[in-house]
Amino acid sequence: SAAGVLLTLHIVLTLDQGYAAAGAAAAVMTIGIAVGAPWRGRRVDTVGLRTALIPSVISESVIWSVVPHVSYQWLLPLVFVGGLLTLPIFSVVRQSLGVLADGDQRRTAFALDAITTEIVFMIGPAAGAIVATSGFTVLGLTVVGVSTSLAGLFLMWFNPPTRSAGQAGESSLEERHAAEAAVVAAAPAHLQGPAAELAHAEARGGPGLRGRVAHNFAWFTATVAAVFAVAAGAGMVLSGTDVGIVAALELGGHQREIGIVFVFWCAASVVGGLVYGAMHRPVSPILLLLGMAALTIPMGFAHDTWTLAFVSILPGLLCAPVLSSASEKVADLVAEDRRGEAMGWYGSALTAGVALGAPLAGIFIDGIGPSGGFVSVGVAGVVLCFAGLVLQ
């Protein structure tokens, strides 16, 4: 969680670039994450967790040890590859929680996941800001890479379940019989005999290209797409707010107080997550995102550290509920045998929003000032939610 602040301040302070350049680097990295997440999730589904994590464990320590020592031009492709092979920790944890819990317990589990994530984000960015403003961005980024590799090794050793026992064999057999029946039923009466033979032949030799594509994305319904849009909006608002907080305090000469605002913002999210996790009825993620985006806009009118910290409480209260509600929805909508891939695409949507939010906020910060970062992503999030409500 310290990586974003460390990378931003490394580019601004050590490499002497602007916030737009820092936002562009964050966008390149998160585009890499967005491209890699579905593939990484599918690898977990097909080859198992331990094998799927090997590239991440190697790349995290290597790439993040090299990134701090190169120029901005070389930094961009390196952070893209780093994002492409990043440890899929969030999707793996949420996929496993979807197996280990169901019903109201699943809502509580996802809320607790969001809360623990927020606690980490209370500590990481604050520590990253202190390390970066003390002049140790190179050391900080290296430590992040090595720590992430160690986390990957622990995850491989722990090997949490990503699918219910017996699910793989049963689902593949049922899918094959269903596919055969669909091919035969769709054929004209005088062709049903040959169609049945073709279905059995395809089952033995593998489905055709069109069948494989249709099967691979059968889980991608309009409702799932709406949840992904919410994830993208949440990522946009959160990353824009993140960059806005750092810029507001760094440009005001209060770099060492960045951690204060992050603690208030994330602690509010913990409280919101506790309340949402205790609820017995789900709340639409699009309504939660609408509230969070609208309440982010007033952060642009805060003129000192403590005002910004207190104003951040209201949008912070809805942060964990947005993410846990969206995660719960994906777990409810997608079957276990495709859930790793679906969680990967969910992560891609979230990081695509992050990729949009960081440079969007950076452009307005460079052009208008820190207030422009909060207002731009808040308004964009509200517009996205209203568009989604109209479409619904």
Side-chain angles (χ1 to χ4, degrees), residues 239-249 308 361 365 370 373-374:
S239 67
T241 304
D242 195 330
V243 172
I245 291 171
V246 173
L249 297 179
L308 184 61
I365 289 166
F374 298 114

Side-chain angles (χ1 to χ4, degrees), residues 96-110 331 339:
S96 183
L97 288 176
V99 174
L100 295 170
D102 54 20
D104 287 342
Q105 293 298 307
R106 180 177 288 170
R107 181 175 311 117
T108 304
F110 280 124
R339 198 173 289 157

Side-chain angles (χ1 to χ4, degrees), residues 18 99 134 179 198 202 248 335:
V99 174
S134 300
L198 177 61
E202 281 208 336

Side-chain angles (χ1 to χ4, degrees), residues 272-373:
L274 286 169
V275 172
Y276 185 77
M279 293 172 61
H280 296 290
R281 294 180 60 186
V283 180
S284 169
I286 198 167
L287 293 177
L288 293 169
L289 175 60
L290 177 62
M292 185 176 76
L295 292 169
T296 297
I297 297 172
M299 293 180 68
F301 302 101
H303 297 292
D304 60 77
T305 302
W306 289 103
T307 304
L308 184 61
F310 285 119
V311 175
S312 72
I313 291 174
L314 290 177
L317 285 169
L318 296 175
C319 175
V322 168
L323 298 177
S324 57
S325 175
S327 300
E328 178 189 6
K329 198 76 172 174
V330 174
D332 288 343
L333 292 170
V334 181
E336 281 186 14
D337 63 313
R338 309 299 295 193
R339 198 173 289 157
E341 184 179 2
M343 284 297 184
W345 281 105
Y346 170 79
S348 293
L350 185 64
T351 52
V354 172
L356 175 63
L360 176 65
I363 290 169
F364 278 88
I365 289 166
D366 285 345
I368 300 173
S371 62

